[in-house]
Amino acid sequence: MSRVCVFFLLSFIFSVHADPKVVNLFRVTSLGSLTISVESGGKIFLASGDDNQYLKNIQLTTGTTTITLDKLNDLNDDGSPKFITAAGSVILQTSNNDTTTSRLSGYIYVTTYLQAQDPTFSVYVLKTTQSISKMGMKSTVVVLNTVLRQELIDYDMPRAISYVTKIDHSPNTNLYFQWDIPASNWNDVTNNTFFRNPIELKNGTGPHFKVFFDNIEPLQIGLNYWYITSMGPFNLFLENKYVSDHSYTTTAVNTTGIIVGKSFYADRVVNFQSDTSRSSASGFFDSAYITDDLTIKLQFVGASFSNTLRKESETQNYAWSPAAPVNLTVTSTSTLPGTFYIQYFAFAGDLQPLTSTVATSLMLQTSTTTVASTAVTTSRIITTTKGSSSNCGVHILISLLLSMVFC
Ligand SMILES: *[C@@H]1O[C@H](CO)[C@@H](O)[C@H](O)[C@H]1NC(C)=O
Ligand SMILES: *[C@@H]1O[C@H](CO)[C@@H](O)[C@H](O)[C@H]1NC(C)=O
Ligand SMILES: *[C@@H]1O[C@H](CO)[C@@H](O)[C@H](O)[C@H]1NC(C)=O
Ligand SMILES: *[C@@H]1O[C@H](CO)[C@@H](O)[C@H](O)[C@H]1NC(C)=O
Ligand SMILES: *[C@@H]1O[C@H](CO)[C@@H](O)[C@H](O)[C@H]1NC(C)=O
């Protein structure tokens, strides 16, 4: 057995369980080296829009290998990013001065051993554009964004972004977008989902039903990194680009889109196309970690539903109503409201036809289900789960009463 093999064997034996890691390069200061505990056998990637002139002054050592980061700042011919395999901890050292270091935007990402071994797990570094096409019955795709090279057109323009279009998959494929990087037990983690297609809705205590969207608005994901999990084949196209969308009009009646806020935020409105000839439904999913305040308001014809968060959090909350939407506004009194993810949706034609009825008013009740006047002919329930950051969950049942008057 060669010495290299013995070294790898030893490092596997002595390797400890470690979570996947992200380390920003601005943390690697001239004061000394930075040691990151990672799993041996994990893959080490660099996502960076920084100049190679500075990256070449940063050394990465793992086991017996030392390379400079400019060598990792590259893609293979097939568009996949270069990586090296961890053999014990990763040590980073720099000869850049601290002014240069503080301006670096790139970061190192290290997977776990199992993720590196999994053929359904892949990683992309988005520099300009990237097509992603997966044929397998299951896949996890990590997207590492790099700094946006675009003139500042809005003060809330994100620092890094994926602009996602051409999402193409069958209604039988469940597609999920999730924030952060996949955890060690990534196959079990779903509470960080910020976009899904199809969506699944609960109808009161009745059956769940699925709605698949053929049309998806361009999705702007202003996060440093995120990932896709898919239960079937899909294609999509990523661009490192930002388009101002503070007032946005949807491109179809049946559609879904997202609003993500991570740092600076300016109010947004989504104007919906509607089809008054058919019954409609609309709503949103949200996860929000609000340090100031945020109001998500869905305006229907003649009624509205709003969800206001004040220094509170909620995870995987959703609200919907069998009513045609007019607009969705997401507002805050603060320019730094906190982090939030909203997926809105609207569709027409799948609900029980509300023949010869007109929705005249929508009433919202919290905590109780109220059967009101005789004018109420049907009621549907919206369930939301709110939890404070300390995790003492308060379950609020909001019942939405749809009053209808027969013409
Ligand atoms: C830091 O390094 C940069 C690039 O090498 C150089 O232009 C700058 O003058 C240096 N700053 C200090 C304070 O040494
Ligand atoms: C998701 O669930 C895990 C436990 O399964 C928990 O540690 C984590 O904080 C949750 N994340 C969110 C965003 O609620
Ligand atoms: C949303 O629609 C309502 C009802 O038509 C309208 O009064 C309101 O001004 C709209 N909001 C925005 C921000 O356009
Ligand atoms: C909109 O979605 C509904 C529910 O899936 C479907 O019944 C209807 O045909 C769709 N309409 C269009 C124009 O695709
Ligand atoms: C929702 O449930 C109500 C009452 O159970 C039923 O009448 C209605 O058809 C259901 N709607 C959908 C879209 O399944």
Side-chain angles (χ1 to χ4, degrees), residues 53-54 57 95-101 103:
Q53 146 185 20
Y54 305 122
N57 297 333
S95 56
N96 287 322
N97 65 38
D98 290 344
T99 315
T100 300
T101 298
R103 291 183 183 143

Side-chain angles (χ1 to χ4, degrees), residues 148 150-157 242-246:
L148 185 57
Q150 200 172 313
E151 202 184 312
L152 189 76
I153 51 171
D154 291 323
Y155 78 84
D156 59 339
M157 182 171 118
Y242 168 78
V243 175
S244 192
D245 65 349
H246 295 97

Side-chain angles (χ1 to χ4, degrees), residues 269 271 299-300 326-327 329:
V269 56
N271 299 299
Q299 177 74 50
F300 308 104
V326 176
N327 60 35
T329 51

Side-chain angles (χ1 to χ4, degrees), residues 179 191 289 315:
W179 68 79
N191 62 357
Y289 308 93
T315 299

